[in-house]
Amino acid sequence: MLSPTDQIGVYAEQYRLRLPEAVIYELRGLEALLGDALPPLVAQYLQHYPSQTWTLDRVADQFEEFLASIHAPVEQTDMARLDIAVSHAFTAPDARTFDASTLQAETQLVLQPPVVLLELSTSVFRTRSAALSGLDLPEMEFADFRVVLFRPERKIRHLVLADAAYKLLNAFKTPTSLADGLQTLSQDAFTANALAANLGDWMRTFAKSRILGPPA
Amino acid sequence: MFRQGWLQDLMMKRPAVSRFAVPDLGIGVGYRVPHYRQVVEEQPEMDWFEVLSENFMVDGGSPRHWLRELAKRYPLVLHGVATSLGGEGDPGHLRRLAALVAEVRPPWVSDHLCFTGSHTANAHDLLPLPYTPEVRDHVIGRIREVSEAVGTLYAVENVSSYLSWKASEVPEWEFLTQVVEGADCGILLDVNNVFVSSVNHGFDPMEYINNIPLDRVVQIHLAGHSIKDGYRLDTHDGPVCDEVWELYAAVIQRMGSVSTLIEWDGDVPEFSRLQQEANQARTIRDAALLALV
């Protein structure tokens, strides 16, 4: 028979094994980036951010905040943000679709539930894709990237967007008519010109990829 | 896919062993990620599947897809790990569970007789309860609340435990009996958990089996466990051991055939290995039933 201390120790040991594993499962990009340096960070994270929810899916949600609090390098905070965005997109409500050829000025559109817009300072999306495909990690690029995550069916994909396309998508965070969405961007001459030149292609891509769609 | 052998046909003519009008689904296994595609695309022989409720209590995406596809092909039952019947309960969890039950319409839903943490930290573990009248009454209230929300038969599972509370006033089997009779709910009898706890706490597993209302058992769990230094740990990462098979046979001889589920969650093997384990359970169940006939 175990002593009382040892009895509690069984549960403590299971916690120490189970929770870090669950956190790391949600941080697959960061795991590829940091390797053996990640588990000590996860242990530290769990000390400061014990799980307070019933679902293990959300156990790593504050990891970016934690990394920022310890002044971690920007590629680490970017990767944590990307990992968590992927986790949310994975189980978000399914996206609805629309036919871009039937678009009217008054058509109401909205970003679909799995879509996440990310402003990143590093090319962590390339690192993550390579790591999950079993490829060598590319050299990290430090620049401003506008990225949209989306899930046309069950697999999550991403696109790197031009500034104007990213601004266009931002206009549809809430249900908005196409005309109103474009109106908000027309005051910026550069954006307006880019829109005029590319709007058709972009809207076809956003429709086909189920990035934009009708409100639920 | 509903397997009915001659022996089971014979047993189906006997009076129902359970006081609840639930089907005997046969022998099933847990629906786990490595097997989703194979199960859906190849439809391997299996009587039924148990799915972990929380894995599918999400809005959409891949998990819901694989659940919908499974439900088209096999009988399934929902089994949770996070309701925390001994705790305060989470309205968000209950709302999502009720929505899932409404969609899947399983013959019963289950979770564990335990708590999972406090409002400041969730241990994501099945923590044993103190067996006191206050805790009993709290758990009965929680089971009634959850049963009403899900609108279907609810069953509670006995957990493996490594810790006992000084405050406990009755043995586990008596606490379980008081809870299920007070809440008028079913029992998911985990035979492996009875055995593991019997070793860890030094009681006779047959005393446990002989002192719970077997007519409330709607399902049995079987699983493998690990032998640690001074205790047994419920790891679900290997085959069922001989002692647990013997205990399973004794249970079947006392109550007849009941839906039985093999749990294998760690080091998940090929699906064919799970089928072997399910066939072993079927062989032992049928031999136990034959002794009755």
Side-chain angles (χ1 to χ4, degrees), chain A residues 7 11 51-53 91 94 154, chain B residues 60-61 120 122 124 128 162-164:
Chain A
Q7 290 182 15
Y11 290 96
S51 174
Q52 294 182 323
T53 175
T91 55
D94 296 339
R154 298 198 305 279
Chain B
T120 56
N122 195 316
H124 298 281
Y162 318 99
L163 176 155
S164 53

Side-chain angles (χ1 to χ4, degrees), chain A residues 78-97:
Chain A
D78 268 5
M79 187 66 94
R81 191 186 319 159
L82 178 59
D83 279 335
I84 299 306
V86 168
S87 175
H88 280 267
F90 184 69
T91 55
D94 296 339
R96 295 155 67 93
T97 188

Side-chain angles (χ1 to χ4, degrees), chain B residues 265-278:
Chain B
D265 302 311
D267 299 329
V268 179
E270 296 289 318
F271 194 79
S272 58
R273 179 68 187 86
L274 296 185
Q275 288 176 305
Q276 286 176 18
E277 201 73 354

